[in-house]
Amino acid sequence: MTVIKLHNTKTRQKEVFAPIDRSDVRMYVCGPTVYDRAHLGNARPVVVFDVLYRLLRAVYGADHVTYARNFTDVDDKINARAAESGRPIGEITAETTQWFLDDMGALGALEPSHMPRATEYIPQMVAMIEDLIAKGHAYAAEGHVLFAVDSWKEGYGKLSGRSVDDMIAGARVEVAPYKKNPMDFVLWKPSTGDLPGWDSPWGRGRPGWHIECSAMSYELLGESFDIHGGGNDLMFPHHENEIAQSCCAHPEGEFARVWLHNEMLQVEGKKMSKSLGNFFTVHDLLAGHDGAPGVPGEVIRFVFLSTHYRKPMDWTAKKAEEAAATLRKWRALTAGIEPAASAAAAVVEALADDLNTAGAITELHKLAASGDAAGLLASARLVGLLTEELGAWAAAPQADLSAHEARLFEARQAAMESKDFAEVDRLKAAYQDAGLEVRMSKTGVELVPGPRFDPAKLEDM
């Protein structure tokens, strides 16, 4: 059987993955807060852990892997969006949940085994909070319930590698008179009449953010499970707090054995920011924005997989164009071909080495270069590429570019004689505006469609 090695944030080293129960490998990944469209950075962990899910299914069997990813549908951001829009909270969360599923599906992400919504597990959260109070790990104060960090000093901070004093100094913690320790965090808070709320022993209120993942993972995966994942921005305080409350509520378990964290995403070498004008949602990219045509979901996925999950990923238009060109060639090579019985060993080996998707892409290039279409197809599908579901963009009728290539070649030949390249420059600019990469050599001209190729722009030419 394939030996999988994963870098465990908890131990800070790469370890051989040994599931608790080979017949039920269990993974939990923190999902979105559903108040708006998912931005490009939100999609990275979805794609990363989708590949891990596919690998685990391939190694242990599709029926022996359980994957849970939650929806946070009770949150102050959702409340604020409802207040400013005048729309009901349930309507907003239902709409944005479906948006998320549609957008991630367009990137080729499989739906997890379980997609729990926080509001479906309020009784379980209340029960866990009551248990934490009974065990001396939490206390009620002024309608709130807080986790007492001092009650679990031996474990708090181990995931992020920080001491409590360092965390107090570096964190923006809420200063509240009812807190016994500045680092104590909210498990339950009161709700006014205009906010979502549920009856509890501490009055009408709603859960804090961290408790939901602990309660839902326990209900769906048990007191011990194999893998917990998410972006590294969640390591502190969210994951640190999850560990504290889960290990204190269920000391008989170990919560998550392996912790995986993906690095963040940049756009054209800069942090994604609305002020820089480089902030866009997955839907923006898929549908087209600011006058640019859309980028196919398969192309987005390829760009994501080209960088190892533990390294910062830089989204660039050039990478998208190169990815589209590669995928077109691969789809042409594999058209009408049945996939091999299994993925190539070198591709599986790369993925099993701490989910080295960049290495797997390199191996896919080798398969294509060798002409092994069947092996390429089976191997690409292991990482969610070249699937039938994602192929519509490449299969759609394209303009016949041969006439345009001949036209540009003739214009260049004439320009070489007249030394007037104005027409050549005009044609090149028009083709590039249509989303074509212009490749010129002594022997000819090649027009290569990129991810933003728009055949309609060629009609006027």
Side-chain angles (χ1 to χ4, degrees), residues 290-310:
D290 299 324
V295 178
E298 186 175 36
V299 173
I300 298 172
R301 185 181 184 92
F302 187 103
V303 175
F304 277 17
L305 298 183
S306 298
T307 301
H308 192 277
Y309 79 94
R310 293 184 59 232

Side-chain angles (χ1 to χ4, degrees), residues 13 42 46 57 123 164 180 188 191 212-213 288 302 320 325 347 350 368 416 420:
Q13 61 185 4
N42 299 142
V46 174
R57 284 161 59 98
V164 173
K180 294 179 179 179
W188 189 265
S191 286
E212 66 175 84
C213 288
F302 187 103
V347 174
M416 296 292 286
D420 180 2

Side-chain angles (χ1 to χ4, degrees), residues 2 55 340-352 360 363-364 366-367 370 372 374-382:
T2 301
L55 176 63
S342 58
V347 174
V348 177
E349 185 179 333
L351 294 177
E363 295 300 330
L364 292 177
K366 292 179 183 178
L367 290 168
S370 71
D372 184 359
L376 172 63
L377 187 56
S379 302
R381 287 182 174 178
L382 179 58

Side-chain angles (χ1 to χ4, degrees), residues 392-416:
W393 72 278
Q398 300 291 344
D400 182 0
L401 299 177
S402 58
H404 293 280
E405 291 170 339
R407 179 180 180 185
L408 182 55
F409 181 75
E410 291 169 2
R412 191 183 67 166
Q413 293 296 94
M416 296 292 286

Side-chain angles (χ1 to χ4, degrees), residues 389-458:
E389 295 82 1
L390 293 185
W393 72 278
Q398 300 291 344
D400 182 0
L401 299 177
S402 58
H404 293 280
E405 291 170 339
R407 179 180 180 185
L408 182 55
F409 181 75
E410 291 169 2
R412 191 183 67 166
Q413 293 296 94
M416 296 292 286
E417 296 287 334
S418 66
K419 307 302 180 186
D420 180 2
F421 287 83
E423 177 65 4
V424 173
D425 292 339
R426 185 190 73 80
L427 289 173
K428 283 177 62 177
Y431 291 135
Q432 289 168 343
D433 181 61
L436 293 168
E437 179 186 351
V438 180
R439 299 177 181 175
M440 305 179 74
S441 67
K442 291 181 180 179
T443 57
V445 170
E446 185 180 11
L447 299 176
V448 181
R452 300 180 184 277
F453 176 45
D454 184 0
K457 290 190 175 182
L458 301 179

